[in-house]
Amino acid sequence: MSLTTSAVQADRGAARLDSAARARAAAHALADRFASGAAERDAQRRLPHEEIDELSASGLLAITVPARFGGPDLAPSVVADVTRILAAADPNIAQIPHSHFVYLNLLRLAASEELARKHFDAVLRGGRVANAQSERAGKTIADISTTLVADGPGRFRLDGEKFYATGSLFADTLAVLARHDADEHLDGGEYVAFIPADAPGVELVDDWDALGQKTTGSGTVRLRGVAVDAADLVARAPAVSRPTGYGAFAQLLHVAIDVGIARGALDTAVEFVRTSARPWFEAGVERAVDDPLLVQRFGELGVDLITAEATLDAAGRAVDRATGFTPSETATADGADHDAHVGAVADASIAVAAAKVVADRVATGIGSALFEVGGTRSAAAGTGLDRFWRNARTHTLHDPVRWKLQHIGRKVLRDENPPVHGVI
């Protein structure tokens, strides 16, 4: 089976969203529907196949398709807004297309014109991309053992096993990270192979069993002798070893998921206290919402959430500037222009890192505080309120914030730009 056939046939009659306002409106409409079944899906670990089909049909998965390929080419800050809105309703659904957007960005930055057009055309029709990147066996997440081996002129064989392959169970196309040892056919290095999710030799295993984010389809992908055309390979280095903003964009969407979880947790806490919680007897009031200590606590939680949302917004605008979606100050000399661009990308990475630190604390903090303000009744198993903390705790483990603080500290203290490696 060829990649062209698989990608082109994924036609879901997707809508076209040609503005940020329309994209946000579509996200809000979907979030209203997705929120109603989120607790049940979590409790039953029911994968959201119907919901992801709705997401595809909405056109939201195509909002980053470049204008020259017929897409709306919306800015990173808009993608972050959409992600945050969806995550407040169901962070599992919001995380599923994370790698979809990241690998569309790789196509934008590093793919051939032909390969980019093929996949962007498919996405405009509702096609979905998922990652097969991380592995369990390596010493660190940077160690990749999946291999590409030449198998004739213009052909390669892909072998390996991936885990944390978020969205793979819903995908039409898998973006598989593999290494290739230099030979007469191809330079050595890391490549991303864009292959059909149902290609011969691909096995998708539904074995994700984390305590949170249960329905993201983040299990195992096994690859056994999968045939790959050379034309379907994208070298990863051009995107991650230069100041392209690739990592800042990817991390921005992770932040948006965490901030969305925090918003969902606080909104749920408000509703629970208004409808189900009882005041503490010493407060001398009839309703929990009139308990002055609860009012105080909700004020503190509100400040936390407002801070997280504001830092996400600032980070989104910084990534927009770094990636050319909004004007930034430029110099007249070519060398100065380059330096300004490098500085803008570094500033975006630091802004996203700071937002990640805040979002990590706020998402887990509000997810836990929900029980504090809700009282004993909120801990009943049937409420499903624990999903907010579980989802936050699980998702915030992406890219530890202790290293974000290192990069921020080095920038503040020594004016050192963060490294360029694709995850900051």
Side-chain angles (χ1 to χ4, degrees):
M1 180 181 298
S2 71
L3 178 60
T4 303
T5 300
S6 177
V8 169
Q9 288 183 348
D11 192 340
R12 298 183 174 89
R16 296 296 178 97
L17 302 172
D18 56 5
S19 69
R22 289 191 64 196
R24 292 186 179 100
H28 279 296
L30 287 178
D32 288 344
R33 293 203 292 278
F34 295 164
S36 63
E40 182 182 357
R41 285 191 296 272
D42 177 85
Q44 299 176 1
R45 199 185 170 275
R46 179 168 62 81
L47 297 179
H49 288 286
E50 293 180 5
E51 290 78 9
I52 296 302
D53 283 343
E54 282 191 73
L55 184 61
S56 293
S58 74
L60 284 171
L61 297 185
I63 60 176
T64 64
V65 173
R68 66 191 181 93
F69 295 106
D73 208 9
L74 299 185
S77 60
V78 180
V79 187
D81 269 354
V82 166
T83 301
R84 174 186 56 80
I85 291 164
L86 294 174
D90 187 335
N92 293 267
I93 291 174
Q95 189 181 348
I96 287 166
H98 175 277
S99 58
H100 170 93
F101 288 119
V102 170
Y103 283 103
L104 293 190
N105 196 31
L106 180 69
L107 289 170
R108 174 200 290 267
L109 293 169
S112 68
E113 182 83 5
E114 180 182 2
L115 184 62
R117 184 171 298 282
K118 177 166 61 175
H119 287 287
F120 287 138
D121 284 349
V123 167
L124 286 169
R125 291 190 295 274
R128 301 191 288 254
V129 180
N131 88 94
Q133 176 171 306
S134 296
E135 299 176 2
R136 275 179 156 172
K139 184 177 180 180
T140 74
I141 63 167
D143 297 321
I144 301 298
S145 61
T146 298
T147 57
L148 274 170
V149 178
D151 193 25
R155 298 286 289 174
F156 294 85
R157 188 179 68 251
L158 186 62
D159 290 281
E161 185 168 302
K162 300 293 186 175
F163 197 58
Y164 309 120
T166 299
S168 57
L169 298 178
F170 311 92
D172 304 300
T173 299
L174 297 177
V176 182
L177 179 61
R179 62 176 178 81
H180 175 72
D181 295 331
D183 56 24
E184 68 273 21
H185 302 284
L186 189 69
D187 291 339
E190 291 186 346
Y191 290 84
V192 174
F194 287 81
I195 65 170
D198 59 356
V202 174
E203 181 185 4
L204 306 179
V205 185
D206 182 14
D207 59 353
W208 177 243
D209 62 353
L211 63 88
Q213 295 297 90
K214 291 181 176 182
T215 63
T216 56
S218 299
T220 297
V221 175
R222 298 192 180 110
L223 307 151
R224 299 290 182 266
V226 181
V228 182
D229 288 334
D232 295 323
L233 299 176
V234 179
R236 189 167 179 264
V240 302
S241 62
R242 296 183 292 123
T244 62
Y246 180 84
F249 173 71
Q251 291 293 304
L252 178 70
L253 301 190
H254 279 310
V255 176
I257 293 167
D258 295 335
V259 173
I261 294 172
R263 167 58 69 181
L266 187 58
D267 287 350
T268 300
V270 168
E271 180 64 17
F272 190 88
V273 170
R274 285 176 177 172
T275 61
S276 301
R278 295 186 294 181
W280 185 244
F281 73 94
E282 291 178 281
V285 296
E286 295 295 320
R287 304 181 306 165
V289 294
D290 296 323
D291 183 331
L293 298 185
L294 272 181
V295 172
Q296 174 76 17
R297 189 68 179 111
F298 271 98
E300 295 167 348
L301 297 176
V303 169
D304 289 344
L305 181 60
I306 291 167
T307 301
E309 291 178 336
T311 55
L312 172 62
D313 180 67
R317 287 185 279 110
V319 177
D320 286 354
R321 290 191 296 272
T323 53
F325 282 87
T326 57
S328 59
E329 293 184 3
T330 58
T332 55
D334 289 343
D337 283 343
H338 173 75
D339 290 346
H341 172 69
V342 170
V345 172
D347 289 346
S349 292
I350 293 298
V352 173
K356 181 74 163 64
V357 172
V358 174
D360 184 298
R361 295 170 177 171
V362 171
T364 54
I366 296 179
S368 177
L370 195 160
F371 298 98
E372 173 193 341
V373 298
T376 306
R377 292 182 178 186
S378 64
T383 65
L385 299 180
D386 60 312
R387 72 186 187 278
F388 294 100
W389 184 87
R390 287 188 291 100
N391 288 333
R393 182 65 284 173
T394 300
H395 185 259
T396 54
L397 297 176
H398 278 278
D399 312 306
V401 296
R402 60 185 179 273
W403 277 98
K404 309 295 184 188
L405 290 166
Q406 277 288 312
H407 298 313
I408 295 167
R410 292 169 185 172
K411 180 63 175 178
V412 171
L413 187 60
R414 303 198 294 251
D415 197 28
E416 293 178 9
N417 285 342
V420 178
H421 53 43
V423 290
I424 186 168

